[in-house]
Amino acid sequence: MRAPPLLLLLAACAPPPCAAAAPTPPGWEPAADAPWCPYKVLPEGPEAGGGRLCFRSPARGFRCQAPGCAAHASAGRSLRASVLRNRSVLLQWRLAPAEARRVRAFALNCSWRGAYTRFPCERVLLGASCRDYLLPDVHDGVRYRLCLQPLPLRAEPPVVPEPAATAECVEFAAEPAGMREIVVAMTAVGGSICVMLVVICLLVAYITENLMHPAFGRPGLRRQP
């Protein structure tokens, strides 16, 4: 049994289904006994002081779902940045339990790429219990680079010094808000045009079958003199 032409046209115009939200992988959530994340936003110059101590609640149960969020991961897969549509970025990281016990803090360095060099944008010192940090506002179309380095505990120097922990870095660029609006508008207009074309095709088919064929199918009557 063949499907009606109208159903075939509507199926061709239907948009693809949206991707389901991926659940938060294990190890990205902060510990249950860590309700707060202490951090300091450090100034650019060392003579300006050590910054003010602040606290923020961790982002538990966060899911990065397209198209409102784009996820970017570091080379080691232990650091990821979720770029949200409101131009904020949620940075998340994870550590092995043995490594987490040897960490006293985290150093976060932010920079963005210019035409010829890189410019610093933010330096943050986070507590050992922190597993995420929110950048409230990033510029559209700018290539950012975020590097996170664990700072070891201050203890007596061992006989054989351990190598310093390497920083994990992730790069991303926020999509311009104007381009997102254009894409959404074009998608909506394209769907409306597709539906209108279907209606016009059906109307033309109806007119052709019911109005024009009878007029051409019957011969005209000649007037008798």
CSV table of all heavy atoms in Angstrom, one decimal, residues 109-122 138-147 169-174:
chain,number,residue,atom,x,y,z
A,109,ASN,N,43.9,30.1,34.6
A,109,ASN,CA,44.4,31.2,33.8
A,109,ASN,C,43.6,31.2,32.6
A,109,ASN,O,43.4,30.2,31.9
A,109,ASN,CB,45.9,31.0,33.5
A,109,ASN,CG,46.8,31.2,34.7
A,109,ASN,OD1,46.9,32.2,35.3
A,109,ASN,ND2,47.4,30.1,35.1
A,110,CYS,N,43.1,32.4,32.2
A,110,CYS,CA,42.3,32.7,31.0
A,110,CYS,C,43.0,33.6,30.1
A,110,CYS,O,43.6,34.6,30.6
A,110,CYS,CB,40.9,33.2,31.4
A,110,CYS,SG,39.9,33.8,30.1
A,111,SER,N,43.0,33.4,28.8
A,111,SER,CA,43.6,34.3,27.9
A,111,SER,C,42.8,34.2,26.6
A,111,SER,O,42.1,33.2,26.3
A,111,SER,CB,45.1,33.9,27.6
A,111,SER,OG,45.2,32.6,27.1
A,112,TRP,N,42.9,35.2,25.7
A,112,TRP,CA,42.2,35.2,24.5
A,112,TRP,C,43.1,35.6,23.4
A,112,TRP,O,44.1,36.4,23.6
A,112,TRP,CB,40.9,36.1,24.5
A,112,TRP,CG,41.2,37.5,24.8
A,112,TRP,CD1,41.3,38.1,26.0
A,112,TRP,CD2,41.3,38.6,23.9
A,112,TRP,NE1,41.5,39.4,25.9
A,112,TRP,CE2,41.5,39.8,24.6
A,112,TRP,CE3,41.3,38.6,22.5
A,112,TRP,CZ2,41.7,41.0,24.0
A,112,TRP,CZ3,41.5,39.9,21.9
A,112,TRP,CH2,41.7,41.0,22.6
A,113,ARG,N,42.9,35.1,22.2
A,113,ARG,CA,43.8,35.3,21.1
A,113,ARG,C,43.4,36.5,20.3
A,113,ARG,O,42.3,36.7,19.8
A,113,ARG,CB,43.8,34.1,20.1
A,113,ARG,CG,44.7,34.1,18.9
A,113,ARG,CD,44.5,33.0,18.0
A,113,ARG,NE,44.7,31.7,18.7
A,113,ARG,CZ,44.4,30.5,18.2
A,113,ARG,NH1,43.9,30.4,17.0
A,113,ARG,NH2,44.7,29.4,18.9
A,114,GLY,N,44.4,37.4,20.1
A,114,GLY,CA,44.3,38.6,19.3
A,114,GLY,C,44.8,38.4,17.9
A,114,GLY,O,45.0,37.2,17.5
A,115,ALA,N,45.1,39.4,17.2
A,115,ALA,CA,45.5,39.3,15.8
A,115,ALA,C,47.0,38.8,15.8
A,115,ALA,O,47.4,38.1,14.9
A,115,ALA,CB,45.4,40.7,15.1
A,116,TYR,N,47.8,39.3,16.8
A,116,TYR,CA,49.2,38.9,16.8
A,116,TYR,C,49.7,38.3,18.1
A,116,TYR,O,50.8,37.7,18.1
A,116,TYR,CB,50.1,40.2,16.5
A,116,TYR,CG,49.7,40.9,15.2
A,116,TYR,CD1,48.9,42.0,15.1
A,116,TYR,CD2,50.2,40.4,13.9
A,116,TYR,CE1,48.6,42.6,13.9
A,116,TYR,CE2,49.9,41.0,12.7
A,116,TYR,CZ,49.1,42.1,12.7
A,116,TYR,OH,48.7,42.7,11.6
A,117,THR,N,49.0,38.4,19.1
A,117,THR,CA,49.4,37.9,20.4
A,117,THR,C,48.2,37.5,21.2
A,117,THR,O,47.1,37.6,20.8
A,117,THR,CB,50.3,38.9,21.2
A,117,THR,OG1,50.8,38.4,22.4
A,117,THR,CG2,49.4,40.1,21.5
A,118,ARG,N,48.5,36.9,22.4
A,118,ARG,CA,47.4,36.5,23.4
A,118,ARG,C,47.4,37.5,24.5
A,118,ARG,O,48.4,38.1,24.9
A,118,ARG,CB,47.7,35.1,23.9
A,118,ARG,CG,47.8,34.0,22.9
A,118,ARG,CD,47.7,32.7,23.5
A,118,ARG,NE,46.4,32.4,24.0
A,118,ARG,CZ,45.4,31.9,23.3
A,118,ARG,NH1,45.6,31.5,22.1
A,118,ARG,NH2,44.2,31.7,23.8
A,119,PHE,N,46.2,37.8,25.0
A,119,PHE,CA,45.9,38.7,26.1
A,119,PHE,C,45.3,38.0,27.3
A,119,PHE,O,44.4,37.2,27.1
A,119,PHE,CB,45.0,39.9,25.6
A,119,PHE,CG,45.5,40.7,24.4
A,119,PHE,CD1,45.2,40.3,23.1
A,119,PHE,CD2,46.3,41.8,24.7
A,119,PHE,CE1,45.7,41.0,22.1
A,119,PHE,CE2,46.8,42.5,23.6
A,119,PHE,CZ,46.5,42.1,22.3
A,120,PRO,N,45.8,38.3,28.5
A,120,PRO,CA,45.2,37.7,29.7
A,120,PRO,C,43.8,38.3,29.9
A,120,PRO,O,43.6,39.5,29.7
A,120,PRO,CB,46.2,38.0,30.8
A,120,PRO,CG,46.9,39.3,30.3
A,120,PRO,CD,46.9,39.2,28.8
A,121,CYS,N,42.9,37.4,30.4
A,121,CYS,CA,41.5,37.9,30.7
A,121,CYS,C,41.1,37.7,32.2
A,121,CYS,O,40.4,38.5,32.7
A,121,CYS,CB,40.5,37.3,29.8
A,121,CYS,SG,40.6,35.5,29.7
A,122,GLU,N,41.7,36.7,32.8
A,122,GLU,CA,41.3,36.4,34.2
A,122,GLU,C,42.2,35.4,34.8
A,122,GLU,O,42.6,34.4,34.2
A,122,GLU,CB,39.8,35.9,34.3
A,122,GLU,CG,39.2,36.0,35.7
A,122,GLU,CD,37.7,35.8,35.7
A,122,GLU,OE1,37.1,36.2,34.6
A,122,GLU,OE2,37.1,35.4,36.7
A,138,VAL,N,31.5,36.1,28.1
A,138,VAL,CA,32.6,36.0,27.1
A,138,VAL,C,32.1,36.7,25.8
A,138,VAL,O,30.9,36.8,25.6
A,138,VAL,CB,33.0,34.5,26.8
A,138,VAL,CG1,33.5,33.8,28.0
A,138,VAL,CG2,31.8,33.7,26.3
A,139,HIS,N,33.1,37.1,25.1
A,139,HIS,CA,32.8,37.9,23.8
A,139,HIS,C,32.6,36.9,22.7
A,139,HIS,O,33.2,35.9,22.6
A,139,HIS,CB,33.9,38.9,23.5
A,139,HIS,CG,34.1,39.9,24.6
A,139,HIS,ND1,33.3,41.0,24.7
A,139,HIS,CD2,35.1,40.0,25.6
A,139,HIS,CE1,33.7,41.7,25.7
A,139,HIS,NE2,34.8,41.2,26.3
A,140,ASP,N,31.7,37.3,21.8
A,140,ASP,CA,31.4,36.5,20.6
A,140,ASP,C,32.5,36.5,19.6
A,140,ASP,O,33.1,37.5,19.4
A,140,ASP,CB,30.1,36.9,20.0
A,140,ASP,CG,28.9,36.8,20.9
A,140,ASP,OD1,28.9,36.0,21.8
A,140,ASP,OD2,27.9,37.6,20.7
A,141,GLY,N,32.8,35.3,19.0
A,141,GLY,CA,33.8,35.2,18.0
A,141,GLY,C,35.2,35.3,18.5
A,141,GLY,O,36.1,35.4,17.6
A,142,VAL,N,35.5,35.3,19.8
A,142,VAL,CA,36.9,35.4,20.3
A,142,VAL,C,37.3,34.0,20.7
A,142,VAL,O,36.6,33.3,21.4
A,142,VAL,CB,36.9,36.4,21.5
A,142,VAL,CG1,38.3,36.5,22.1
A,142,VAL,CG2,36.5,37.8,21.0
A,143,ARG,N,38.6,33.7,20.4
A,143,ARG,CA,39.1,32.4,20.7
A,143,ARG,C,39.7,32.4,22.1
A,143,ARG,O,40.7,33.1,22.3
A,143,ARG,CB,40.2,32.0,19.7
A,143,ARG,CG,40.6,30.5,19.8
A,143,ARG,CD,39.6,29.6,19.3
A,143,ARG,NE,40.0,28.2,19.4
A,143,ARG,CZ,39.2,27.2,19.1
A,143,ARG,NH1,38.0,27.4,18.7
A,143,ARG,NH2,39.6,25.9,19.3
A,144,TYR,N,39.1,31.7,23.1
A,144,TYR,CA,39.6,31.7,24.4
A,144,TYR,C,40.4,30.4,24.7
A,144,TYR,O,40.2,29.4,24.1
A,144,TYR,CB,38.4,31.8,25.4
A,144,TYR,CG,37.8,33.1,25.5
A,144,TYR,CD1,36.7,33.5,24.7
A,144,TYR,CD2,38.2,34.0,26.5
A,144,TYR,CE1,36.2,34.8,24.7
A,144,TYR,CE2,37.6,35.3,26.6
A,144,TYR,CZ,36.6,35.7,25.7
A,144,TYR,OH,36.0,36.9,25.8
A,145,ARG,N,41.3,30.6,25.7
A,145,ARG,CA,42.1,29.4,26.2
A,145,ARG,C,42.1,29.5,27.7
A,145,ARG,O,42.5,30.4,28.3
A,145,ARG,CB,43.5,29.5,25.6
A,145,ARG,CG,44.4,28.4,26.1
A,145,ARG,CD,45.8,28.5,25.5
A,145,ARG,NE,46.7,27.5,26.0
A,145,ARG,CZ,47.0,26.4,25.4
A,145,ARG,NH1,46.3,26.1,24.3
A,145,ARG,NH2,47.8,25.5,25.9
A,146,LEU,N,41.6,28.4,28.3
A,146,LEU,CA,41.5,28.3,29.7
A,146,LEU,C,42.4,27.1,30.2
A,146,LEU,O,42.3,26.0,29.7
A,146,LEU,CB,40.1,28.0,30.2
A,146,LEU,CG,39.0,29.1,29.9
A,146,LEU,CD1,37.6,28.6,30.3
A,146,LEU,CD2,39.4,30.4,30.6
A,147,CYS,N,43.3,27.4,31.1
A,147,CYS,CA,44.3,26.4,31.6
A,147,CYS,C,44.1,26.3,33.1
A,147,CYS,O,44.1,27.3,33.8
A,147,CYS,CB,45.7,26.8,31.3
A,147,CYS,SG,46.1,26.8,29.5
A,169,CYS,N,44.5,22.3,29.4
A,169,CYS,CA,44.0,23.5,28.7
A,169,CYS,C,42.9,23.1,27.8
A,169,CYS,O,42.9,22.0,27.2
A,169,CYS,CB,45.1,24.2,28.0
A,169,CYS,SG,46.4,24.8,29.0
A,170,VAL,N,41.9,24.0,27.6
A,170,VAL,CA,40.8,23.8,26.7
A,170,VAL,C,40.6,25.1,25.9
A,170,VAL,O,40.7,26.2,26.5
A,170,VAL,CB,39.5,23.4,27.4
A,170,VAL,CG1,39.1,24.4,28.5
A,170,VAL,CG2,38.4,23.1,26.4
A,171,GLU,N,40.3,25.1,24.7
A,171,GLU,CA,40.1,26.2,23.8
A,171,GLU,C,38.7,26.2,23.2
A,171,GLU,O,38.1,25.1,22.9
A,171,GLU,CB,41.1,26.3,22.7
A,171,GLU,CG,42.5,26.6,23.2
A,171,GLU,CD,43.5,26.9,22.0
A,171,GLU,OE1,43.0,27.0,20.9
A,171,GLU,OE2,44.7,27.0,22.3
A,172,PHE,N,38.1,27.3,23.1
A,172,PHE,CA,36.7,27.4,22.5
A,172,PHE,C,36.5,28.8,22.0
A,172,PHE,O,37.3,29.8,22.3
A,172,PHE,CB,35.7,27.1,23.6
A,172,PHE,CG,35.7,28.1,24.8
A,172,PHE,CD1,34.9,29.2,24.7
A,172,PHE,CD2,36.4,27.8,25.9
A,172,PHE,CE1,34.9,30.1,25.8
A,172,PHE,CE2,36.5,28.7,26.9
A,172,PHE,CZ,35.7,29.8,26.9
A,173,ALA,N,35.5,29.0,21.2
A,173,ALA,CA,35.0,30.3,20.7
A,173,ALA,C,33.5,30.3,20.8
A,173,ALA,O,32.8,29.4,20.3
A,173,ALA,CB,35.5,30.5,19.3
A,174,ALA,N,33.0,31.4,21.4
A,174,ALA,CA,31.5,31.5,21.5
A,174,ALA,C,30.9,31.9,20.2
A,174,ALA,O,31.5,32.8,19.5
A,174,ALA,CB,31.2,32.5,22.6
